Amino acid sequence: MYIEKVKSSRLTPESLEIKTFGNTFADHMLVCNYKDGVWGEAKIIPFQEMSFSPAMQAIHYGQACFEGMKAYKDENGDVFMFRPEKNFERINNSAIRLNMPPVPKEVFMDGLKALLDIDRDWVPPTYGMALYLRPFIFATEPMITARSSEEFMFCVITAVAPDYYAKPLRVKIADKYSRSANGGVGYAKAAGNYAASFYPTKLAREEGFDQVIWTDASTHEFIEEAGTMNVFVRINDTLITAPISERILNGVTRNSLINIAKHNGWKVEERPIKVSEMKAAHKDGSLKEVFGCGTAVVLNTFSAIGYPDETLDLADMPMEESWGKQLKKQLMDIQNNKSEDPFGWRVKVEKNLVNTL
Amino acid sequence: MYIEKVKSSRLTPESLEIKTFGNTFADHMLVCNYKDGVWGEAKIIPFQEMSFSPAMQAIHYGQACFEGMKAYKDENGDVFMFRPEKNFERINNSAIRLNMPPVPKEVFMDGLKALLDIDRDWVPPTYGMALYLRPFIFATEPMITARSSEEFMFCVITAVAPDYYAKPLRVKIADKYSRSANGGVGYAKAAGNYAASFYPTKLAREEGFDQVIWTDASTHEFIEEAGTMNVFVRINDTLITAPISERILNGVTRNSLINIAKHNGWKVEERPIKVSEMKAAHKDGSLKEVFGCGTAVVLNTFSAIGYPDETLDLADMPMEESWGKQLKKQLMDIQNNKSEDPFGWRVKVEKNLVNTL
């Protein structure tokens, strides 16, 4: 692995005290180019602008996908990734659906470890904060024929993720717009899926909501995702979430919460859940809580659900009653090495690893 | 308008004799940046690589759309655009659906005219060739939060389009994959729509087909588009094409062919057309021809249609019997100023226009 370190770090104490996410990038990035049918050498270089042709395929035809992950620092200063194998599998599932070459496992795994080893000072020591990892693959061939690119770049950039107070969200059930359809790319973290969601989300915001609960494109009868999160509905003492399908993202946080809930002895059902079922449960008092989950927010409870005809309010529950809040704490404790890890999910980033790669 | 011309042109006689489309770019490009809520000054500069942050929003969240247009040169050396107003309207419809700011009309129209005036020597004088124009808008803000960008670039690049012999295509009817759904972005020229189509197209190619005929995502019963083209089915003496909807691109070529066909006194129906209707018409001999159309190819006839259980062959028809071939010639004659233009579609690019802008 080729490594070029920065001459002097941009890291300051303020870097790790930021309050907004998305543009406080660590010192280094990983790049690896695909050309002539093969992936080249992975390189760690200073985070920097790159030069592209205005004909770069990704900005014309959207051949691009990404992953979202986080690295955590425990009280001893050790750095951990969380279930990176899941993200490795998923980025390649996304790549295949978009006709892009899968990234080799050693490029992905060793690249992430080396990058985190070099930039370990950028992983905030504060519980609740993390260094967000953004692996992505995009088409770089400079050509405007509407066909698959033959050149790609795999890249990893990282950004400090603050501990922002996740306020309960008001969500609106989609009855016109849709996020994905059978036979489409909804299960992939395809760049275009996100662009398609911004306008419906903006319209929902204008009506006083924070996010959209996506429903199936054919009938709008079934709950699929919320914003960029998977959704859980708790009716009495059963947690229900939509099953993984070609329309629904196979969320790592979703899967982790299901495992923790089952470990707690709680009942979990992965099955289609109707918009109308959630409404009926609200009416008869059996709807206890509804929440979304994902790497960025971990878990966000919902305080209101907007139906076309009425908005249903959900009361905030104390920790001892809320499965959502308990699950969030259990998950974060595992991620931050504050509790046992019965699932074997943490992956420690060894020090001075770079010299061995 | 700021204009910086190349010191010396890259144009050679060979540039206008190329046989493959997509990477023979003319000397200049148009760029215009959107920041702080306003579009800045449009600039014509030498075609060149540009520097972007690896966090550029478009390659993460796919906020990007484009247009495809052509400029033609007639026997007098005059240069014409074809219905540029339609592309101007559509790029802004696409932009709105993707939550991007519409491009001002003068930036789009004056920009295209000035670019074509400066690069008019790049417009091939050969009938059947053209200079392809690629206006596009993409998100440039360097930030990886999953939200709409607040910075964008509008850009126009151009590439020489050869007169390639459009061989009749073998097309496969989609029975699993889908291109768009109700409530989605199928009607927009959104970058992500194209990436989603490459893998199903690759699978169709492995089965001996050239393109996919997209059907509706819910039932796969209705014909929508083919590859990146609108589709026309001729049954006896009626041309049928799917109506414009939120799933189907409002094609300029589609609209032009409908107008020419009606002008010829031919019957045209814009209505949903079932996969099964086309098959039944083939069985009873009333299916005369099926073709796709779009700016790049103009019109492509289909020689075979693959159903899950059988592949139906379509005989090649001579010009005097084929409505498709006649429509293609009529359209190209208008575009190239070889015939009257009863519709007022041609827009001449005046010489030395640049000095007045």
Side-chain angles (χ1 to χ4, degrees):
Chain A
M1 193 181 298
Y2 170 90
I3 294 173
E4 178 196 340
K5 291 195 187 180
V6 293
K7 293 201 174 58
S8 63
S9 175
R10 285 182 283 100
L11 182 66
T12 66
E14 290 72 34
S15 307
L16 304 186
E17 290 164 8
I18 51 135
K19 299 294 178 200
T20 56
F21 169 67
N23 55 10
T24 303
F25 301 107
D27 282 330
H28 298 88
M29 61 193 286
L30 179 93
V31 294
C32 185
N33 286 294
Y34 180 93
K35 196 171 180 176
D36 299 328
V38 290
W39 287 100
E41 185 187 15
K43 296 177 184 180
I44 290 179
I45 57 174
F47 182 90
Q48 62 192 268
E49 294 214 331
M50 298 189 284
S51 185
F52 295 114
S53 166
M56 174 168 74
Q57 206 264 24
I59 55 178
H60 293 265
Y61 300 118
Q63 243 183 332
C65 67
F66 68 92
E67 274 302 318
M69 314 166 64
K70 279 179 177 170
Y72 309 87
K73 189 171 275 180
D74 73 2
E75 290 173 351
N76 301 320
D78 284 326
V79 171
F80 298 88
M81 290 195 284
F82 183 73
R83 310 186 78 183
E85 296 262 350
K86 300 289 275 184
N87 301 93
F88 168 69
E89 287 166 17
R90 194 171 59 187
I91 199 170
N92 281 346
N93 285 341
S94 296
I96 289 166
R97 180 60 183 84
L98 297 172
N99 212 36
M100 303 198 286
V103 177
K105 189 163 187 177
E106 66 273 16
V107 170
F108 188 91
M109 289 295 179
D110 294 347
L112 276 171
K113 286 177 187 169
L115 190 61
L116 278 171
D117 186 23
I118 290 179
D119 278 340
R120 65 172 59 239
D121 290 345
W122 284 86
V123 184
T126 313
Y127 182 83
M129 294 186 72
L131 186 65
Y132 181 89
L133 316 176
R134 169 54 59 86
F136 57 111
I137 312 172
F138 61 107
T140 52
E141 189 179 350
M143 111 15 251
I144 54 171
T145 314
R147 65 156 170 83
S148 186
S149 175
E150 293 181 354
E151 297 170 19
F152 300 89
M153 181 180 280
F154 171 65
C155 190
V156 184
I157 58 178
T158 68
V160 180
D163 179 22
Y164 58 95
Y165 170 67
K167 75 171 172 64
L169 300 179
R170 295 171 56 81
V171 293
K172 188 198 169 192
I173 292 177
D175 57 350
K176 178 179 177 212
Y177 292 101
S178 64
R179 197 192 80 88
S180 70
N182 284 331
V185 298
Y187 71 88
K189 286 188 84 76
N193 287 346
Y194 296 78
S197 75
F198 296 145
Y199 182 67
T201 303
K202 175 191 155 183
L203 296 180
R205 289 204 174 135
E206 288 171 1
E207 292 179 52
F209 297 97
D210 301 297
Q211 288 286 358
V212 173
I213 288 198
W214 300 106
T215 50
D216 69 291
S218 298
T219 66
H220 296 292
E221 282 181 20
F222 293 92
I223 295 168
E224 305 217 310
E225 297 189 17
T228 57
M229 301 179 286
N230 291 112
V231 176
F232 283 82
V233 177
R234 177 181 163 203
I235 297 179
N236 286 325
D237 283 347
T238 301
L239 266 185
I240 309 162
T241 189
I244 295 309
S245 74
E246 58 187 342
R247 301 190 309 273
I248 295 181
L249 189 77
N250 189 356
V252 179
T253 308
R254 172 191 179 281
N255 179 274
S256 303
L257 295 181
I258 290 173
N259 276 286
I260 295 172
K262 287 182 176 172
H263 192 257
N264 291 348
W266 299 345
K267 191 174 171 195
V268 182
E269 292 179 359
E270 296 180 67
R271 64 163 172 85
I273 177 159
K274 279 196 166 185
V275 166
S276 58
E277 180 183 359
M278 185 165 67
K279 192 171 186 174
H282 187 273
K283 299 294 180 198
D284 70 19
S286 60
L287 184 67
K288 301 303 178 192
E289 49 190 330
V290 186
F291 52 85
C293 68
T295 294
V297 298
V298 187
L299 190 148
N300 237 172
T301 55
F302 299 161
S303 60
I305 298 170
Y307 282 80
D309 55 337
E310 63 179 323
T311 295
L312 309 180
D313 291 316
L314 287 162
D316 190 36
M317 297 169 91
M319 171 73 91
E320 60 272 22
E321 289 174 27
S322 166
W323 285 11
K325 289 180 184 176
Q326 292 176 48
L327 286 171
K328 181 173 186 174
K329 182 169 189 309
Q330 285 180 279
L331 178 60
M332 288 177 65
D333 283 355
I334 294 173
Q335 289 169 331
N336 288 275
N337 194 22
K338 285 183 74 88
S339 72
E340 288 302 304
D341 175 16
F343 310 99
W345 286 339
R346 282 192 300 262
V347 175
K348 188 173 172 180
V349 178
E350 300 298 336
K351 286 177 183 156
N352 301 315
L353 188 81
V354 166
N355 304 325
T356 69
L357 295 171
Chain B
M1 193 180 298
Y2 170 91
I3 294 173
E4 178 197 341
K5 291 196 188 179
V6 293
K7 293 198 172 62
S8 63
S9 174
R10 286 182 283 101
L11 183 66
T12 65
E14 290 72 33
S15 308
L16 304 185
E17 291 164 7
I18 51 131
K19 299 294 177 198
T20 56
F21 169 67
N23 54 10
T24 303
F25 301 107
D27 283 329
H28 298 87
M29 61 193 285
L30 179 93
V31 293
C32 185
N33 286 296
Y34 179 93
K35 196 171 178 176
D36 299 329
V38 290
W39 287 100
E41 185 188 15
K43 296 178 183 178
I44 289 178
I45 58 175
F47 181 90
Q48 61 192 266
E49 293 215 330
M50 298 190 284
S51 184
F52 294 115
S53 167
M56 174 167 74
Q57 205 264 22
I59 54 177
H60 293 266
Y61 300 117
Q63 243 184 332
C65 66
F66 69 91
E67 275 301 319
M69 313 167 62
K70 280 179 177 170
Y72 310 86
K73 190 171 274 177
D74 73 2
E75 289 172 352
N76 301 320
D78 285 328
V79 172
F80 297 88
M81 287 194 285
F82 181 75
R83 309 187 76 181
E85 297 262 351
K86 300 288 275 184
N87 301 92
F88 168 69
E89 287 166 16
R90 195 171 59 185
I91 199 169
N92 282 345
N93 286 340
S94 296
I96 288 165
R97 179 61 183 85
L98 298 174
N99 213 36
M100 303 197 285
V103 176
K105 189 163 187 176
E106 66 274 16
V107 169
F108 188 91
M109 288 295 181
D110 293 349
L112 275 172
K113 287 176 185 168
L115 190 61
L116 279 172
D117 187 22
I118 289 180
D119 278 339
R120 65 171 59 241
D121 291 344
W122 285 86
V123 185
T126 313
Y127 182 84
M129 293 186 73
L131 187 65
Y132 181 89
L133 316 175
R134 167 56 58 89
F136 57 110
I137 311 173
F138 61 106
T140 52
E141 189 178 349
M143 121 357 260
I144 53 171
T145 315
R147 64 156 171 82
S148 185
S149 176
E150 293 182 354
E151 298 170 19
F152 299 90
M153 180 180 281
F154 171 65
C155 190
V156 185
I157 58 179
T158 66
V160 178
D163 179 21
Y164 59 95
Y165 169 67
K167 75 172 173 62
L169 300 179
R170 295 170 56 82
V171 294
K172 186 194 174 203
I173 292 178
D175 58 350
K176 177 180 177 208
Y177 291 102
S178 65
R179 197 192 81 88
S180 69
N182 284 332
V185 299
Y187 70 88
K189 284 186 86 74
N193 289 345
Y194 295 80
S197 75
F198 295 145
Y199 182 67
T201 303
K202 175 192 153 182
L203 295 181
R205 289 202 174 134
E206 288 171 359
E207 293 180 51
F209 296 96
D210 301 297
Q211 287 285 358
V212 172
I213 288 199
W214 301 106
T215 50
D216 69 291
S218 298
T219 67
H220 296 292
E221 283 181 21
F222 294 92
I223 294 170
E224 305 217 311
E225 298 189 18
T228 58
M229 302 180 285
N230 292 112
V231 175
F232 284 82
V233 177
R234 178 181 164 201
I235 296 179
N236 284 326
D237 283 349
T238 302
L239 264 185
I240 310 162
T241 190
I244 294 308
S245 75
E246 57 186 341
R247 299 190 311 272
I248 295 179
L249 189 79
N250 189 355
V252 179
T253 309
R254 172 190 179 280
N255 179 274
S256 302
L257 295 181
I258 290 172
N259 277 284
I260 294 172
K262 287 181 175 172
H263 192 257
N264 291 349
W266 299 344
K267 190 172 171 195
V268 182
E269 292 178 358
E270 296 179 67
R271 64 162 171 87
I273 175 160
K274 280 196 166 185
V275 166
S276 57
E277 180 182 359
M278 186 164 68
K279 191 171 186 174
H282 187 274
K283 299 293 179 198
D284 71 16
S286 60
L287 184 67
K288 301 302 180 193
E289 49 189 331
V290 187
F291 52 84
C293 68
T295 294
V297 296
V298 187
L299 191 148
N300 237 171
T301 55
F302 298 162
S303 60
I305 297 171
Y307 282 80
D309 54 338
E310 63 178 324
T311 295
L312 309 180
D313 290 315
L314 286 161
D316 189 38
M317 298 171 88
M319 172 74 91
E320 60 271 22
E321 289 174 25
S322 165
W323 284 11
K325 289 180 182 177
Q326 292 175 50
L327 285 170
K328 181 173 187 174
K329 181 169 190 310
Q330 285 180 281
L331 177 59
M332 288 178 66
D333 283 356
I334 293 173
Q335 289 169 332
N336 288 275
N337 194 23
K338 285 184 73 91
S339 71
E340 287 302 303
D341 175 16
F343 310 99
W345 286 339
R346 282 191 300 260
V347 175
K348 187 173 172 180
V349 178
E350 299 298 338
K351 286 177 185 159
N352 301 315
L353 189 81
V354 168
N355 305 323
T356 70
L357 294 173

